[in-house]
Amino acid sequence: MNPFLIQNCRILGDSSVSEPADLAVAAGRIAAIGPAGSLDPGHYGGNLVDGAGGLLAPGMINGHVHSHEHFQKGRFRNLPLELWMNFVRPPQPVPLTARQVYLRTLIGAIETLRSGATTLVDDLNLGAALNREHLAAVHQAYEDIGIRALVGLSMMDKPFFEALPFVQEEFELALLDELRAAPRASGEDLLALAEQLAAERHPARSRVGFVVAPSAPQRCSEAFLRRCRELANRHDLPLIIHVQETRLQVVTAQLEHGCTYVEYLDRLGLLRPKTTLIHCVWLMPRDIELIARSGATVQHNPWSNLRLGSGIAPLRALLDAGVNVSLATDGCASTDTANMLNSVGLATALHTLRGEEPEDWVGAEEAWRAATRGGAIALGRGEDLGTVEVGATADLVLYRLDGVGFTPANNLLQQLVHAERGQSIDTVVVDGAIVMRGGRLTRLDEPALLAEAREEFRSLAPFYDRAEAEVARMEPALRRIRARCACHPIDASTFPARLS
């Protein structure tokens, strides 16, 4: 990996912008930073990146995507989570080749890089067969494009569709028998594969690494959750889990455990640093206290939560309690985009809806920190990712400042968060390697790959149509379950997540 010098750029810190500076990269890390013209180009082999008129920022961390959803971009509208979620896990999955999985994965990886994120966390549904060839295709896609990725297996030991109350009462028995007969991966097989990946792709040693990903408490037995926690502890791995995304999930937790899922996970010992609770839209003050005390992270996915009607997370209360917050896009089947800057901008504007005083709103600085340092802390990398400092890992993004979003340039951070969506990105560096330069990917032929993906999808579209038609048979029962849960009271101290 050749050293190089980025010259005459302005550098974005947590909330401030430097005067023009030079930054040197060597051995995958930021080797030196000095005033513009102070670093000798000869020390870096004459390998120069012209940063004049540019803003150099840390790469963001997209803490939650589902690459298995990328072919379903734009297929769904106006569906709440509980009516939508089975479409992305149909009982009869769409048959894909390894090449199609590779192309599908790249769709999201390209958009991630093109929106200023250099790291993503992929919560991957590998299917009932745990197809190793498909998993290898996902890993290879991330290796080839050059992005940093942590790939988790969406792990559960309960049938996906049964993670709801009243299923036995509301589903037709024939349909219930059919759904229960569908093949699914066993908890034991998932744990065995996770053990293998923890050894082979530990993120401390691999740019494309592994994260422990139990899907959600309602989809896992207590014993299975404990084993996931033990696996993460033993290998010192991050752990991610969906928690309290909707009001219905709060009701489900009450019916199952007599408490919230946050309280239940705390009781099991799952809450600790390097643990990310995804969504956390419907929370009580007691939940926030437990999360803050544990050192766990809350993963905020504002665009997904709005698109699925889940609500608005109590972000100000979380930040005020000292909870580490990270940001993400979630999957393309709910959001239609993996654009990380979209999530950062929304994370500021959305929270003006809660709190009368503007001092209580979430500012651009707080949203940017969540997208960078907050995401790094969530993964146990708070010392070397999400920052531009000497010694830090060189995951960097250079934005041109001559575009419309930065004209006129009054407040570069605020304009980056509110006005920029990736069109000004010139250069992207991951792990000390330049993976985009002059607005073009350096390792892959992007136009050819996207054209191939479009062509492959033409043959796949009828299979997606058929799978979604099968899932639609579940909708009447799911609507009845949702209506029953809507009538069930929840604790009055729960932060209101929806306007009514």
Side-chain angles (χ1 to χ4, degrees):
M1 188 182 300
N2 293 326
F4 60 91
L5 188 63
I6 303 175
Q7 295 180 300
N8 200 26
C9 60
R10 301 182 71 184
I11 296 175
L12 177 62
D14 287 341
S15 60
S16 61
V17 178
S18 75
E19 293 300 315
D22 293 346
L23 181 144
V25 174
R29 296 194 171 269
I30 299 171
I33 300 174
S38 66
L39 301 185
D40 182 0
H43 290 166
Y44 306 97
N47 297 317
L48 308 178
V49 174
D50 183 6
L55 178 68
L56 189 67
M60 290 182 288
I61 291 133
N62 188 344
H64 187 58
V65 301
H66 295 289
S67 68
H68 55 271
E69 295 182 12
H70 293 331
F71 276 160
Q72 292 171 291
K73 183 184 298 185
R75 293 185 69 88
F76 308 109
R77 61 185 295 272
N78 292 353
L79 281 176
L81 179 83
E82 281 80 22
L83 300 184
W84 163 88
M85 62 185 183
N86 287 285
F87 285 106
V88 296
R89 284 178 174 271
Q92 299 298 324
V94 173
L96 296 170
T97 66
R99 181 65 179 178
Q100 289 165 341
V101 170
Y102 176 86
L103 294 168
R104 182 185 69 181
T105 305
L106 282 177
I107 291 171
I110 289 169
E111 190 172 15
T112 297
L113 285 178
R114 287 202 165 278
S115 60
T118 51
T119 297
L120 63 80
V121 180
D122 186 357
D123 192 354
L124 173 67
N125 172 26
L126 197 54
L130 298 183
N131 189 309
R132 307 299 176 90
E133 189 179 7
H134 286 186
L135 180 59
V138 171
H139 289 150
Q140 193 62 54
Y142 293 138
E143 295 282 8
D144 288 351
I145 195 171
I147 200 168
R148 186 180 308 282
L150 283 81
V151 182
L153 308 171
S154 186
M155 300 169 65
M156 63 192 81
D157 64 342
K158 295 181 179 180
F160 185 79
F161 78 97
E162 293 203 57
L164 299 167
F166 314 127
V167 165
Q168 185 67 38
E169 300 168 33
E170 297 295 349
F171 273 74
E172 296 178 6
L173 291 181
L175 179 57
L176 199 57
D177 289 343
E178 179 184 332
L179 293 170
R180 286 173 173 165
R184 60 188 180 90
S186 72
E188 290 299 325
D189 287 345
L190 283 162
L191 287 164
L193 180 53
E195 286 282 0
Q196 177 184 335
L197 291 169
E200 294 177 355
R201 287 195 172 268
H202 197 286
R205 300 183 294 272
S206 301
R207 175 172 51 78
V208 180
F210 177 67
V211 60
V212 181
S215 178
Q218 65 270 27
R219 300 177 195 128
C220 301
S221 67
E222 178 178 327
F224 188 78
L225 286 171
R226 290 184 185 276
R227 291 180 69 183
C228 289
R229 176 74 274 170
E230 188 276 332
L231 186 153
N233 292 351
R234 180 159 36 85
H235 292 282
D236 191 23
L237 287 166
L239 182 147
I240 63 173
I241 184 169
H242 298 74
V243 180
Q244 285 170 228
E245 186 172 356
T246 65
R247 186 185 187 280
L248 188 150
Q249 292 177 12
V250 176
V251 172
T252 305
Q254 287 182 352
L255 294 172
E256 283 187 346
H257 305 291
C259 62
T260 68
Y261 279 129
V262 171
E263 291 173 311
Y264 172 63
L265 294 175
D266 181 64
R267 186 192 311 158
L268 298 186
L270 257 79
L271 303 187
R272 55 176 294 167
K274 292 178 68 171
T275 298
T276 298
L277 309 183
I278 305 161
H279 298 299
C280 285
V281 176
W282 293 79
L283 295 177
M284 296 165 45
R286 172 66 175 159
D287 294 328
I288 295 176
E289 291 173 12
L290 290 172
I291 298 168
R293 188 186 310 155
S294 72
T297 291
V298 165
Q299 171 77 79
H300 187 35
N301 303 272
W303 186 235
S304 171
N305 296 152
L306 286 185
R307 288 293 307 278
L308 295 174
S310 301
I312 303 169
L315 190 55
R316 170 50 61 204
L318 288 160
L319 292 170
D320 287 351
V323 174
N324 183 58
V325 174
S326 62
L327 283 177
T329 61
D330 210 346
C332 280
S334 64
T335 64
D336 299 335
T337 179
N339 189 305
M340 187 61 181
L341 283 163
N342 184 62
S343 289
V344 180
L346 187 60
T348 64
L350 178 62
H351 295 282
T352 62
L353 295 175
R354 180 182 277 124
E356 291 296 326
E357 299 302 323
E359 291 78 15
D360 293 333
W361 299 349
V362 176
E365 295 85 356
E366 291 170 303
W368 180 253
R369 186 188 187 282
T372 52
R373 193 71 66 93
I377 291 170
L379 301 176
R381 300 284 299 270
E383 298 303 316
D384 75 315
L385 285 183
T387 185
V388 185
E389 300 173 3
V390 173
T393 296
D395 285 10
L396 305 164
V397 180
L398 180 66
Y399 297 84
R400 298 185 310 274
L401 297 179
D402 56 0
V404 67
F406 293 106
T407 302
N410 288 305
N411 183 314
L412 293 180
L413 174 57
Q414 187 160 310
Q415 288 168 254
L416 173 60
V417 168
H418 291 149
E420 175 62 30
R421 291 297 177 266
Q423 67 271 19
S424 298
I425 293 176
D426 178 87
T427 301
V428 179
V429 178
V430 180
D431 209 30
I434 297 174
V435 299
M436 182 186 295
R437 190 162 189 175
R440 298 174 64 89
L441 299 180
T442 63
R443 297 186 173 200
L444 297 174
D445 185 340
E446 179 182 352
L449 286 164
L450 293 180
E452 185 183 356
R454 290 191 294 271
E455 182 62 31
E456 289 293 332
F457 186 76
R458 289 192 183 94
S459 65
L460 292 171
F463 291 97
Y464 279 100
D465 293 340
R466 191 174 309 135
E468 289 161 13
E470 287 294 307
V471 172
R473 296 186 299 150
M474 303 166 67
E475 186 171 333
L478 293 172
R479 285 187 179 274
R480 290 193 296 270
I481 290 171
R482 198 164 174 271
R484 287 180 68 170
C485 290
C487 297
H488 197 287
I490 61 175
D491 194 294
S493 71
T494 304
F495 285 92
R498 290 178 58 90
L499 302 177
S500 59

